[in-house]
Amino acid sequence: MNRYVEIEFDCVPLRSIGRMDVPMDASPKFVEKADRIKRAIEKHGRHNTYYLHKATCTFRLTNDAAVGMLKFRFEGTVLTDAEDQETLGCDLDIQLERDTCDWITEPIVQWFRETVGHAVRVEFDLYIHAGDLKQTIERLEKTEAESDEHGGFLGMGL
């Protein structure tokens, strides 16, 4: 199957974030991202919410890779139903990163920016049904169980 829209993202289940304190020597970029994640948790909670980052959505409008491409970067929260089986909505910050469309106008960019949200909902449903979300949650549960076995600490025998 041809990919009409290319979407890539890293996914963090917000229920996996226990503490929100940031190391004193953290970089400004890290502090900013931690603040965005904290705001997402405050706004949407931790359950059935997933933070997508390092994310892009690319539309190709022609059959020439050098002409007619719109690439957006995005970051934000995806919300699922109680069983994590369906995407209910997205709260994303979406920015045009690059394009090779010399004919593009601002209303068209705005329309595609809105379309990114719809495309991400479809892609996250595919992610769920491919089992990727289940594997992420299972990894999280295993890590939590190991942490509980060690009194809340992992690594370096602590």
Side-chain angles (χ1 to χ4, degrees), residues 47-101:
H47 295 288
N48 306 101
T49 53
Y50 301 87
Y51 198 79
L52 305 185
H53 63 109
K54 297 181 188 171
T56 60
C57 178
T58 304
F59 298 97
R60 300 201 184 280
L61 307 179
T62 70
N63 291 329
D64 183 342
V67 178
M69 181 275 301
L70 296 166
K71 183 175 184 177
F72 292 86
R73 63 180 159 77
F74 64 92
E75 185 172 317
T77 308
V78 172
L79 302 103
T80 64
D81 64 0
E83 292 80 34
D84 288 322
Q85 294 300 305
E86 181 182 4
T87 305
L88 299 178
C90 299
D91 184 7
L92 305 172
D93 177 33
I94 303 164
Q95 303 296 324
L96 180 63
E97 182 175 278
R98 190 165 57 94
D99 75 87
T100 58
C101 298

Side-chain angles (χ1 to χ4, degrees), residues 19-144:
R19 297 175 55 175
M20 289 302 303
D21 48 333
V22 177
M24 302 259 308
D25 60 346
S27 71
K29 279 188 168 187
F30 183 86
V31 172
E32 289 170 6
K33 183 176 265 184
D35 286 344
R36 290 191 301 271
I37 291 172
K38 184 177 180 180
R39 285 192 302 273
I41 290 171
E42 290 169 355
K43 184 174 183 179
H44 300 291
R46 294 180 190 266
H47 295 288
N48 306 101
T49 53
Y50 301 87
Y51 198 79
L52 305 185
H53 63 109
K54 297 181 188 171
T56 60
C57 178
T58 304
F59 298 97
R60 300 201 184 280
L61 307 179
T62 70
N63 291 329
D64 183 342
V67 178
M69 181 275 301
L70 296 166
K71 183 175 184 177
F72 292 86
R73 63 180 159 77
F74 64 92
E75 185 172 317
T77 308
V78 172
L79 302 103
T80 64
D81 64 0
E83 292 80 34
D84 288 322
Q85 294 300 305
E86 181 182 4
T87 305
L88 299 178
C90 299
D91 184 7
L92 305 172
D93 177 33
I94 303 164
Q95 303 296 324
L96 180 63
E97 182 175 278
R98 190 165 57 94
D99 75 87
T100 58
C101 298
D102 59 1
W103 65 90
I104 203 87
T105 63
E106 186 54 37
I108 295 170
V109 170
Q110 187 59 35
W111 184 85
F112 272 102
R113 187 176 288 122
E114 181 180 329
T115 302
V116 169
H118 296 284
V120 169
R121 284 182 65 169
V122 169
E123 190 71 19
F124 204 77
D125 279 342
L126 294 171
Y127 177 74
I128 290 169
H129 297 296
D132 294 338
L133 180 58
K134 183 179 178 190
Q135 291 171 4
T136 299
I137 292 170
E138 287 172 355
R139 248 186 342 268
L140 167 66
E141 289 171 348
K142 181 181 177 192
T143 302
E144 285 176 358

